[in-house]
Amino acid sequence: MSQRQPQQLVPGMQPAVLTMDSLLRAAEQTVPQGAGEASKFRYRAAYQGVPGAYSEMAACKACPDAEPVPCEQFEVAFQALSQWTTDWAVLPIENSLGGSIHAVYDLLLRYRLHIVGETSIAVNHCLLALPGTKLSDLTRVLSHPQALAQTDTYLRKLGVVKEAVDDTAGAAQMVARQQLQGVGAVASRRAAELYGLDILDEDIQDAKDNVTRFIKLARDPLLSREGEGEATPFKTSIVFSLKEGPGQLFKALSVFALRDIDMTKIESRPMRTNPIVLTKPEGAAQAGKQRFNYLFYIDFVGALSDPVCQNALRHLQESAPFMRVLGSYPMELQLGGLDSNTPFDSINEH
Ligand SMILES: O=C(O)C(=O)C[C@]1(C(=O)O)C=C[C@@H](O)C=C1
């Protein structure tokens, strides 16, 4: 069994992190960035964060034959995929403790990319600090906002000031690079190894079951054939808006209930282009009240090729002025099948 080669822990050997600026420069070049450079990987998968981020593990799990490409922000990962710098992008969409990652929902609408898979990771957070630091020395702790939320009870008891940064591994990298005394980072075991930090405590999340679900995006949709989804269940993700008036959401959701279609997730987000609407009751001379205007994101069990699902979506369009399918893809049946403590080099075989 061939295994991924252990990554070099030498400073300066880390892969370059993609930023909006570097992508803009690459788009202006006639010769694609990296052309001619030998790589043992055929494909590339963008993720947000730096090496050691949980998203890097998810990218390796979802795209075993791809080189994980670090990106500064979520949008850089969307952009990298859109402009063919990578073949996929793997992004967190929800966590069992912290809930939905709203920024990713909003970007799904802005970019015309397709969800082609999902994966999840059981996240075990560690508290890291410079070698020799004791728990009682810590006054500040840095991490990604989701990771800080997932370890809130623990950090409150410790009585430290919490500071949000772009990603968990980025927090560890900052503590190490800037030699921050008395400052901790909530991050993975791999981040401790990569940046030479001590693990002061582990499994510090508020609940044992701390699972983050990630989506795998591609430029083209996964074309499912009729009958697909019978052996491996498929999931379909859609986004839609509603007409105004009483009972509209109930009507929209009934198209799934009527057909025994299992809805696994619903999320509403303000419609950024038109966030407030004026409602006018039918027959009324004057405008009524103002209300917020929402987009609804739904995941349901079923393949787009299944005639029952197609009928449900046709039915939904009767009450939805806008509807888009975000993707139809094989559903992950075992949540958190990969533990973040799993040695990184054994995640994928090459
Ligand atoms: O910062 C990281 O390591 C990430 O991969 C991001 C992220 C997230 O956005 O939720 C992923 C998993 C954990 O839930 C915490 C943070």
Side-chain angles (χ1 to χ4, degrees), residues 47-50 52-58 74 90-96 98-101 104 121 123 125 143-148 150 165-171 186-188 191 210-214:
Y47 69 93
Q48 189 268 330
V50 297
Y54 298 103
S55 297
E56 182 198 32
M57 294 177 203
F74 289 141
V90 177
L91 296 143
I93 192 80
E94 63 174 330
N95 173 268
S96 54
S100 295
I101 320 278
V104 176
I121 289 200
V123 172
H125 288 301
S143 198
H144 184 281
Q146 272 279 342
L148 292 174
Q150 293 158 23
V165 294
D166 281 346
D167 72 292
T168 57
V186 175
S188 64
N210 184 32
V211 175
T212 301
R213 195 167 70 83
F214 295 81

Side-chain angles (χ1 to χ4, degrees), residues 278-301:
L278 201 57
T279 61
K280 188 167 168 286
E282 222 166 294
Q286 282 172 350
K289 12 182 207 330
Q290 280 192 320
R291 67 164 175 83
F292 286 165
N293 200 16
Y294 296 102
L295 281 169
F296 295 89
Y297 291 80
I298 279 184
D299 291 347
F300 62 86
V301 179

Side-chain angles (χ1 to χ4, degrees), residues 11-338:
M13 289 289 285
Q14 308 291 345
V17 178
L18 290 186
T19 62
M20 270 303 175
D21 275 357
S22 67
L23 280 177
L24 283 175
R25 279 198 304 276
E28 283 162 7
Q29 284 172 353
T30 39
V31 180
Q33 212 183 26
E37 282 170 23
S39 167
K40 60 178 178 163
F41 299 100
R42 256 186 88 189
Y43 302 107
R44 286 156 60 93
Y47 69 93
Q48 189 268 330
V50 297
Y54 298 103
S55 297
E56 182 198 32
M57 294 177 203
C60 291
K61 188 183 168 205
C63 312
D65 43 4
E67 173 187 1
V69 177
C71 298
E72 203 178 44
Q73 294 134 10
F74 289 141
E75 187 162 7
V76 178
F78 274 79
Q79 192 84 46
L81 175 58
S82 301
Q83 68 178 55
W84 296 69
T85 301
T86 65
D87 302 280
W88 295 290
V90 177
L91 296 143
I93 192 80
E94 63 174 330
N95 173 268
S96 54
L97 292 175
S100 295
I101 320 278
H102 295 139
V104 176
Y105 275 99
D106 295 343
L107 286 163
L108 278 175
L109 192 76
R110 283 183 41 211
Y111 285 80
R112 290 225 156 240
L113 297 170
H114 304 269
I115 308 178
V116 295
E118 64 171 356
T119 193
S120 62
I121 289 200
V123 172
N124 290 311
H125 288 301
C126 302
L127 184 59
L128 317 181
L130 290 174
T133 310
K134 293 192 291 294
L135 260 185
S136 56
D137 297 334
L138 295 182
T139 54
R140 274 163 69 206
V141 167
L142 316 178
S143 198
H144 184 281
Q146 272 279 342
L148 292 174
Q150 293 158 23
T151 53
D152 187 57
T153 313
Y154 180 92
L155 295 177
R156 268 172 200 270
K157 269 195 208 141
L158 209 58
V160 289
V161 174
K162 298 185 284 180
E163 248 176 69
V165 294
D166 281 346
D167 72 292
T168 57
Q173 194 185 51
M174 200 183 290
V175 170
R177 282 206 179 145
Q178 298 178 18
Q179 288 291 294
L180 299 176
Q181 304 286 340
V183 180
V186 175
S188 64
R189 171 175 283 278
R190 171 168 155 78
E193 289 161 12
L194 282 176
Y195 305 111
L197 297 177
D198 274 1
I199 300 180
L200 306 194
D201 207 347
E202 47 192 318
D203 283 356
I204 61 166
Q205 58 278 358
D206 291 351
K208 219 173 109 294
D209 285 332
N210 184 32
V211 175
T212 301
R213 195 167 70 83
F214 295 81
I215 48 173
K216 175 179 174 181
L217 299 175
R219 281 180 296 277
D220 296 314
L222 198 65
L223 296 175
S224 56
R225 286 174 298 275
E226 204 171 329
E228 195 129 50
E230 282 163 16
T232 311
F234 262 55
K235 208 187 234 185
T236 299
S237 299
I238 59 167
V239 52
F240 60 91
S241 65
L242 289 177
K243 288 182 194 153
E244 64 176 73
Q248 290 300 325
L249 182 58
F250 178 83
K251 273 191 208 157
L253 298 187
S254 69
V255 309
F256 301 107
L258 283 172
R259 293 171 178 84
D260 263 342
I261 295 176
D262 190 7
M263 206 175 83
T264 57
K265 170 109 208 257
I266 179 165
E267 180 66 47
S268 61
R269 296 287 303 142
M271 197 186 286
R272 286 191 159 218
T273 48
N274 186 20
I276 295 173
V277 285
L278 201 57
T279 61
K280 188 167 168 286
E282 222 166 294
Q286 282 172 350
K289 12 182 207 330
Q290 280 192 320
R291 67 164 175 83
F292 286 165
N293 200 16
Y294 296 102
L295 281 169
F296 295 89
Y297 291 80
I298 279 184
D299 291 347
F300 62 86
V301 179
L304 198 57
S305 55
D306 180 345
V308 178
C309 296
Q310 288 173 6
N311 285 339
L313 295 186
R314 255 193 298 272
H315 193 174
L316 174 66
Q317 275 172 316
E318 288 171 17
S319 53
F322 160 79
M323 195 206 68
R324 199 170 108 201
V325 175
L326 297 170
S328 193
Y329 47 94
M331 180 174 173
E332 195 183 49
L333 301 177
Q334 212 56 46
L335 279 178
L338 176 75

